[in-house]
Amino acid sequence: MNLTEPRDLAPLLEAFLLASGKAQSLERLYELFEEAERPEPAVFRKALEVLRKSCAGRAFELKEVASGYRLQIREDYAPWVGRLWEERPQRYSRALLETIALIAYRQPITRGEIEDVRGVAVNTNIIKTLLEREWVRIVGYREVPGKPAMFATTKAFLDHFNLKNLDELPSLAELREMEPDPLLEVDDAPVPAHLQALADESAEPEPAVEQTSFHSLLLELDSMEQGLKTDFDDLLQAPDEPEDEAHVQDVPRD
């Protein structure tokens, strides 16, 4: 193997990165060679470029992040590859994401300054989680009463979010453009024409309601009057005659 030839060195660097399973800096890669066989830095960089091009059309890619170079699965395959692990990725709260975003864009920043922007107190567990994951670190103390700690992001933060440096963070203007449009109220949301047409075709016709005219209503009332008792002379009694209890009960009362 000619280690001074980038094409011969590229497969060896691929083997190093596959075996390590994490990003490796150029300095660390240099250390893996004996001094007498160590290629020149220019050869290293050319070999890495050869390796990057050889990944074209494959499921993985060579990615340079803050800690160095690593081989990783392409993002297009992530939804399927993630099924290899039963444990689902941890979901972070909105408060934690807002906190790390403020640290990333306004570092160094104190906890009190984060609270001033968010308008609410920062939960102690959020800062603890960020420190334990090594996404942030204390870089100093503000020269104000109480000397609060100032937080900044780390290489581990950049590596996790697939970034080489902070310059690769999207600008705030780009973030605003990425925000989804507010949802319309149901009453205000327009219905696409083709969907409305399908709804009209599938809608069952409403049953016809029989219309009753005023004339037919009069005829119905007239038929109801047939047979009604209209002569009540037989119900009149003499003043001195006792009322028949049974007969009285037959008389309709108001």
Side-chain angles (χ1 to χ4, degrees), residues 91-151:
R91 298 182 66 87
Y92 299 104
S93 67
R94 182 183 181 88
L96 184 145
L97 294 176
E98 288 179 352
T99 300
I100 189 62
L102 284 171
I103 295 175
Y105 281 92
R106 299 197 177 187
Q107 57 186 303
I109 188 173
T110 66
R111 180 173 175 173
E113 291 167 341
I114 296 173
E115 293 174 344
D116 288 341
V117 175
R118 295 190 63 236
V120 294
V122 176
N123 191 306
T124 302
N125 288 331
I126 291 179
I127 299 298
K128 181 180 178 182
T129 298
L130 294 176
L131 289 171
E132 288 178 348
R133 291 192 64 88
E134 298 182 349
W135 284 4
V136 302
R137 62 191 178 95
I138 297 174
V139 294
Y141 297 87
R142 188 80 72 196
E143 291 296 332
V144 296
K147 291 189 175 182
M150 295 185 295
F151 299 99

Side-chain angles (χ1 to χ4, degrees), residues 5-169:
E5 174 57 45
R7 292 187 178 276
D8 289 342
L9 180 59
L12 180 55
L13 296 180
E14 179 180 356
F16 283 150
L17 296 178
L18 286 173
S20 65
K22 62 180 182 179
Q24 298 291 332
S25 66
L26 283 177
E27 290 76 11
R28 175 56 180 158
L29 292 174
Y30 292 153
E31 294 174 356
L32 298 177
F33 294 87
E34 298 291 342
E35 186 174 356
E37 64 178 8
R38 186 175 300 160
E40 295 293 327
V43 177
F44 261 94
R45 295 190 180 278
K46 289 181 180 179
L48 287 170
E49 181 61 20
V50 171
L51 177 57
R52 184 187 66 80
K53 292 181 178 179
S54 70
C55 293
R58 303 178 70 176
F60 59 90
E61 62 182 345
L62 178 67
K63 179 70 176 181
E64 184 180 6
V65 292
S67 297
Y69 295 86
R70 69 184 179 197
L71 290 172
Q72 61 185 33
I73 300 298
R74 294 187 185 275
E75 187 177 355
D76 294 343
Y77 302 103
W80 292 274
V81 175
R83 297 171 187 171
L84 288 170
W85 294 272
E86 294 182 1
E87 183 179 353
R88 295 300 178 187
Q90 183 176 358
R91 298 182 66 87
Y92 299 104
S93 67
R94 182 183 181 88
L96 184 145
L97 294 176
E98 288 179 352
T99 300
I100 189 62
L102 284 171
I103 295 175
Y105 281 92
R106 299 197 177 187
Q107 57 186 303
I109 188 173
T110 66
R111 180 173 175 173
E113 291 167 341
I114 296 173
E115 293 174 344
D116 288 341
V117 175
R118 295 190 63 236
V120 294
V122 176
N123 191 306
T124 302
N125 288 331
I126 291 179
I127 299 298
K128 181 180 178 182
T129 298
L130 294 176
L131 289 171
E132 288 178 348
R133 291 192 64 88
E134 298 182 349
W135 284 4
V136 302
R137 62 191 178 95
I138 297 174
V139 294
Y141 297 87
R142 188 80 72 196
E143 291 296 332
V144 296
K147 291 189 175 182
M150 295 185 295
F151 299 99
T153 55
T154 64
K155 284 186 176 182
F157 164 80
L158 295 173
D159 289 350
H160 183 84
F161 289 97
N162 223 22
L163 302 172
K164 180 180 178 182
N165 50 54
L166 291 173
D167 293 337
E168 294 185 357
L169 283 172

